[in-house]
Amino acid sequence: MKRCHFVLFFVFLSIVEAFSCSPAIRGEESYLIVGSVKDSTHNAIPYATVSLFIKQNFLAETHTDSRGDFELKINNNTEEPYRLVVTSVGYEKYEQEFTLSDSPQRFSIMLSEVAFGLNEVIIEGKPHAVKLRFDGYSINTKDLRATRNNLYDLLISLPKIYTKGDQLSVIGKRSVLVKINNTLLRVAETQLTQVLKGYDASLVDEVNVITEPPTRYNANGETALIVVKMASEFANYIGGNVAMEVLQAKYRHMYHPYSFFVYNRDKFSSFINVAYNYEVRKASSEILYNNQTNNRQDFSTEWNKINFPFLYAGMQYDYSKLGAIGVSVNASYETQNVRTTDSIRFETIIGGNVLDSLLFAEKNHFIPEVILVQ
């Protein structure tokens, strides 16, 4: 009887082992689909959108990393065929059906470039038409804005736009400028994210991402310009928001209240953004010294407290279609208190502040219309 049990157990192990060798990487309750996305010259395509469907039902979505690689975890165990869809602005849409039993060990996907014209990208499982420009792309955001809290949340959901730390970035560019209609946000990139959170996403009609803007915006050739076209009611608008962001983790606590107020009337526009950032970070380390004569073990704990109040305000008057005059003020004061405790030392450091104001007058440089190739 014991021998029978052993044989049955051996057969059970063989069955489990056979299933675990299926081409998709299989865990206890999930599957991991892995692959890479490249162009026709075998260069990696970063931040391409990779979506998974069963028939027309959306299951999951991810994006390729800077090397063009992706991983997609699914928990749906079915023998029905899956449909993998890969999209990226400037490339034709790629689709492939597969089942978990016959999927390749690794998907190697090549996207073909398209001429200027209409392109379709997948955002959260839904197709959206993108108008390709000779210098970037335009996308109508009316179907997307309802699910976004603010302009920042809307922008980072669009193709080729991502966040690097706390900064907004566009693939292939070192810096980013943002215009709201005809108003350029004259603020440091480290503070741009904060300002964008003040604009209501429900008022955004269209976003234009321009990778080769006019020289006045792009003197070094490494700047992208994002032009946000607001709804018509934004021309005569008064409103704003007050919000609070809280992060509580084991070694980091952040409290971030902010407020934003906008007043627009015909050719006059103004706004004020007031924010405060309080953050505490804790780091612990242990160092062990060994030599022939003695052993020494040091423990160290460091607290870093950051206080950062911030004010950004501006007003602009569009005196004609030819240009505008205005003023902007950017003020901030940052202090960092660092305390390190161990058997040897204690220390406290540093502080700093920034005050910048600018009176400007500029002529309009109209952006060329979208050129479609038939």
Side-chain angles (χ1 to χ4, degrees):
M1 193 70 178
K2 291 182 179 179
R3 183 176 180 182
C4 180
H5 285 163
F6 177 79
V7 172
L8 289 175
F9 180 71
F10 179 80
V11 171
F12 173 76
L13 285 179
S14 301
I15 294 173
V16 171
E17 192 171 318
F19 273 100
S20 66
C21 294
S22 60
I25 301 174
R26 182 175 182 173
E28 291 182 6
E29 298 179 351
S30 63
Y31 296 86
L32 189 64
I33 308 300
V34 297
S36 61
V37 181
K38 298 181 179 181
D39 61 19
S40 58
T41 57
H42 303 287
N43 292 318
I45 301 178
Y47 309 107
T49 302
V50 182
S51 306
L52 193 66
F53 299 81
I54 291 182
K55 297 181 179 179
Q56 300 301 318
N57 298 320
F58 172 70
L59 292 182
E61 183 176 278
T62 189
H63 295 85
T64 57
D65 59 20
S66 58
R67 300 181 300 274
D69 297 326
F70 69 88
E71 293 184 355
L72 195 62
K73 182 182 289 187
I74 56 174
N75 299 315
N76 192 299
N77 183 6
T78 178
E79 293 301 320
E80 290 190 58
Y82 291 84
R83 182 163 57 94
L84 189 72
V85 179
V86 181
T87 59
S88 183
V89 172
Y91 298 90
E92 293 181 357
K93 182 169 67 174
Y94 174 92
E95 295 188 51
Q96 180 177 344
E97 285 196 354
F98 67 95
T99 61
L100 294 178
S101 59
D102 67 0
S103 65
Q105 286 281 0
R106 180 180 177 88
F107 287 88
S108 296
I109 298 169
M110 182 177 293
L111 300 186
S112 302
E113 294 84 353
V114 298
F116 298 126
L118 291 175
N119 188 206
E120 186 181 84
V121 296
I122 303 295
I123 301 176
E124 293 188 351
K126 297 181 180 180
H128 294 271
V130 172
K131 295 180 181 178
L132 297 183
R133 307 166 51 100
F134 65 92
D135 59 354
Y137 72 87
S138 301
I139 184 169
N140 187 308
T141 58
K142 293 180 181 179
D143 293 335
L144 284 169
R145 62 191 185 186
T147 59
R148 301 297 184 270
N149 293 321
N150 52 58
L151 176 55
Y152 171 75
D153 290 341
L154 178 63
L155 290 179
I156 62 174
S157 69
L158 302 181
K160 305 296 184 183
I161 300 177
Y162 67 103
T163 53
K164 185 168 58 177
D166 294 330
Q167 296 187 29
L168 194 71
S169 300
V170 172
I171 293 176
K173 297 295 179 178
R174 285 192 173 184
S175 58
V176 176
L177 295 174
V178 177
K179 290 187 74 174
I180 309 296
N181 286 339
N182 194 40
T183 302
L184 179 67
L185 298 181
R186 305 170 190 274
V187 65
E189 287 191 70
T190 53
Q191 300 164 349
L192 179 60
T193 296
Q194 172 58 53
V195 175
L196 294 175
K197 289 180 179 179
Y199 287 94
D200 189 348
S202 66
L203 295 172
V204 180
D205 279 352
E206 182 178 293
V207 173
N208 297 273
V209 179
I210 305 170
T211 54
E212 297 298 333
T215 306
R216 64 193 294 250
Y217 300 117
N218 189 29
N220 58 7
E222 297 180 341
T223 301
L225 176 64
I226 299 175
V227 180
V228 180
K229 293 186 177 181
M230 307 296 282
S232 58
E233 56 263 35
F234 191 71
N236 290 281
Y237 175 82
I238 180 171
N241 60 56
V242 177
M244 176 83 166
E245 294 180 347
V246 177
L247 172 65
Q248 291 186 326
K250 186 175 182 180
Y251 297 109
R252 184 182 180 191
H253 300 273
M254 184 184 76
Y255 304 93
H256 180 44
Y258 63 91
S259 61
F260 192 83
F261 177 77
V262 178
Y263 175 73
N264 295 335
R265 180 62 62 183
D266 298 326
K267 297 181 179 181
F268 175 79
S269 61
S270 63
F271 61 88
I272 182 170
N273 179 209
V274 180
Y276 177 74
N277 187 29
Y278 176 75
E279 186 173 349
V280 179
R281 298 179 183 177
K282 179 182 177 182
S284 300
S285 61
E286 177 182 345
I287 303 175
L288 179 64
Y289 303 91
N290 292 314
N291 54 44
Q292 294 180 349
T293 59
N294 62 14
N295 295 327
R296 177 184 168 189
Q297 191 172 18
D298 287 346
F299 296 92
S300 176
T301 302
E302 179 179 285
W303 289 270
N304 187 352
K305 296 182 180 180
I306 301 173
N307 293 277
F308 184 67
F310 165 68
L311 167 69
Y312 177 50
M315 60 180 65
Q316 177 172 311
Y317 179 73
D318 298 325
Y319 58 84
S320 74
K321 292 183 178 180
L322 299 178
I325 58 174
V327 61
S328 68
V329 177
N330 181 2
S332 63
Y333 180 79
E334 180 176 3
T335 61
Q336 295 189 38
N337 297 310
V338 180
R339 186 177 67 170
T340 303
T341 61
D342 54 23
S343 58
I344 301 175
R345 62 191 173 89
F346 295 85
E347 63 180 353
T348 302
I349 56 176
I350 59 179
N353 65 81
V354 174
L355 175 63
D356 181 33
S357 62
L358 174 67
L359 181 66
F360 62 89
E362 61 180 17
K363 293 183 179 180
N364 286 337
H365 289 245
F366 295 102
I367 299 170
E369 293 297 323
V370 176
I371 299 176
L372 302 181
V373 177
Q374 301 296 330

